[in-house]
Amino acid sequence: MAALVLHDFHQTVGASFTEVNGQEAVAHYDDWRAEYAALREGAGILDLSFRGRLCLLGADRQRFLNGQVTNNVKDLQTGGGCYAALVSAKGKLQSDLNIYRLENELLLDFEPGYVEIVTQRLEKYVIAEDVQIIDVAPRYGLLSVQGPKSAEILEKHPKSAMEILKIASPFLGEIYVANRPRLRGPGFDLFVPTAAMTEMAAQLVSRSGRLCGWRAFETARIEAGIPRFGVDMDETNLAPEALDASAISYSKGCYIGQEVIARVRTYGQVAKSLRRLKLEGQEPPPKGAKLFLGDKEVGYITSAVQSPASDSVMSLGYIRREADKPGAELLAETSTGKLPAKIVEPA
């Protein structure tokens, strides 16, 4: 398991650790519920350095990447960004990506454990283009500040979602701050030189941010209805089944998998869609638990968590088209029997 650069820093403040796709992550510190509250009500600081980070260099980088992903990259200006996905020629997901255009490169941020897969997928289609793909995770860490007060603990930040700002510090080096809400509220990602990670984390804490771990973040993420690649969507899913419409451009032109995705839109809806559900009871059902409309199986759960905010179970799951209506009353299979489950819109 690859250790975090800030392992010793986290350990000194009481962190317990966990593994996410073969990468070390902080599970929690002293009180995960207080961390959860910071993410919802204050400014929670997350060390997301276990995530994958690649940079694309070369004169053809922007044109090349535009032909690989679902969203419009060719029109991004320096400091702009978008959320997109890599898909196969059959339109099946291979990774989701946060993409930022920097002055001389394109920065890709994605789920941990997928660096080799994403690199190989991109390299497969580099023929004669001037494109180089570099793993920059060893050089730059990733701290994320999420919550309604996140902007208050940053000295500078971009105003619009998916914008990225370079801040040159004489002491910390070049830091890139991206406006990246990860929990449907305000939020920012800081790409920080490895040597400056400890100092940056300490500064954020000193400005009234609270260090938060994976348990608190995952609880808030599932409550918010935000899917995670490898958990709520994977290589078996068509992009439109799981991704928000803002991640797919239908006017940008050709890219790998574009024909399949365009055909889905032209000739009808997908057979199933990822939805947010609220379940009665206190026991989160396991991944893969079946969902029923009456006696008919109509879907399955991908992730679920006991929600402190609603005192119920919140989950994500795929619902077949015939049962996919806001407010639909379903039944979820659990170890104690079937429990009522309602499709609800994200909060």
Side-chain angles (χ1 to χ4, degrees):
M1 180 170 66
L4 290 166
V5 169
L6 291 185
H7 177 93
D8 292 344
F9 170 85
H10 295 307
Q11 196 166 45
T12 60
V13 291
S16 296
F17 297 92
T18 188
E19 180 182 329
V20 181
N21 291 351
Q23 307 296 310
E24 183 181 69
V26 174
H28 57 81
Y29 297 89
D30 56 338
D31 183 353
W32 81 267
R33 286 182 177 270
E35 298 164 28
Y36 163 85
L39 291 170
R40 288 181 55 90
E41 302 166 10
I45 304 164
L46 299 148
D47 185 354
L48 301 184
S49 298
F50 52 85
R51 289 177 60 85
R53 288 177 296 292
L54 296 174
C55 271
L56 270 61
L57 308 176
D60 299 325
R61 62 188 181 276
Q62 196 161 356
R63 178 177 59 84
F64 169 76
L65 189 60
N66 193 64
Q68 303 298 317
V69 301
T70 57
N71 216 337
N72 184 358
V73 175
K74 68 180 175 64
D75 293 332
L76 288 180
Q77 301 300 307
T78 300
C82 67
Y83 177 62
L86 280 172
V87 297
S88 69
K90 296 182 179 181
K92 297 295 182 70
L93 288 166
Q94 295 178 311
S95 177
D96 65 340
L97 305 167
N98 296 311
I99 301 171
Y100 303 101
R101 181 181 173 185
L102 309 182
E103 186 176 1
N104 298 308
E105 56 207 312
L106 291 169
L107 171 62
L108 280 55
D109 158 56
F110 49 92
E111 285 294 319
Y114 287 89
V115 171
E116 184 175 352
I117 291 171
V118 173
T119 300
Q120 289 178 353
R121 162 64 173 78
L122 292 173
E123 287 179 341
K124 177 181 178 181
Y125 291 96
V126 177
I127 309 300
E129 294 87 354
D130 178 11
V131 176
Q132 297 86 47
I133 302 165
I134 309 296
D135 183 359
V136 294
R139 292 180 244 173
Y140 268 79
L142 173 54
L143 297 173
S144 189
V145 185
Q146 301 290 320
K149 297 182 180 179
S150 54
E152 297 176 17
I153 72 169
L154 299 178
E155 292 182 347
K156 296 180 182 178
H157 59 82
K159 305 301 182 186
S160 301
M162 297 306 298
E163 286 187 347
I164 191 165
L165 174 68
K166 181 173 77 170
I167 300 174
S169 166
F171 305 107
L172 302 180
E174 290 185 351
I175 296 170
Y176 292 88
V177 181
N179 188 319
R180 185 63 177 100
R182 292 184 179 270
L183 298 173
R184 296 199 188 278
F188 301 88
D189 284 351
L190 286 75
F191 298 91
V192 182
T194 301
M197 283 283 286
T198 300
E199 176 62 25
M200 188 75 256
Q203 285 189 20
L204 294 173
V205 171
S206 73
R207 298 171 194 162
S208 300
R210 186 183 186 106
L211 292 167
C212 298
W214 189 243
R215 182 176 181 181
F217 177 73
E218 279 290 272
T219 299
R221 177 191 70 81
I222 296 168
E223 282 183 344
I226 297 173
R228 185 159 73 86
F229 187 78
V231 176
D232 304 296
M233 49 184 175
D234 56 31
E235 296 84 354
T236 67
N237 294 117
L238 290 166
E241 292 178 345
L243 295 180
D244 184 89
S246 64
I248 303 173
S249 170
Y250 291 98
S251 60
K252 59 170 276 186
C254 294
Y255 60 90
I256 305 301
Q258 181 262 343
E259 290 184 5
V260 173
I261 292 174
R263 198 178 308 131
V264 169
R265 185 180 189 229
T266 300
Y267 295 107
Q269 298 176 337
V270 290
K272 63 182 185 296
S273 297
L274 191 64
R275 294 291 181 245
R276 180 173 178 260
L277 300 107
K278 182 176 183 179
L279 283 64
E280 292 187 9
Q282 299 295 313
E283 179 192 355
K287 182 179 175 67
K290 296 177 181 178
L291 292 164
F292 296 86
L293 180 61
D295 293 328
K296 183 180 181 182
E297 184 180 336
V298 293
Y300 57 92
I301 298 291
T302 58
S303 57
V305 68
Q306 201 285 326
S307 166
S310 64
D311 194 31
S312 62
V313 172
M314 300 301 299
S315 73
L316 289 164
Y318 285 95
I319 312 296
R320 293 192 60 81
R321 188 190 310 172
E322 63 268 24
D324 184 14
K325 298 180 179 64
E329 301 280 356
L330 307 176
L331 294 171
E333 188 177 61
T334 72
S335 61
T336 57
K338 294 179 180 178
L339 295 177
K342 178 186 288 188
I343 300 176
V344 292
E345 298 295 333

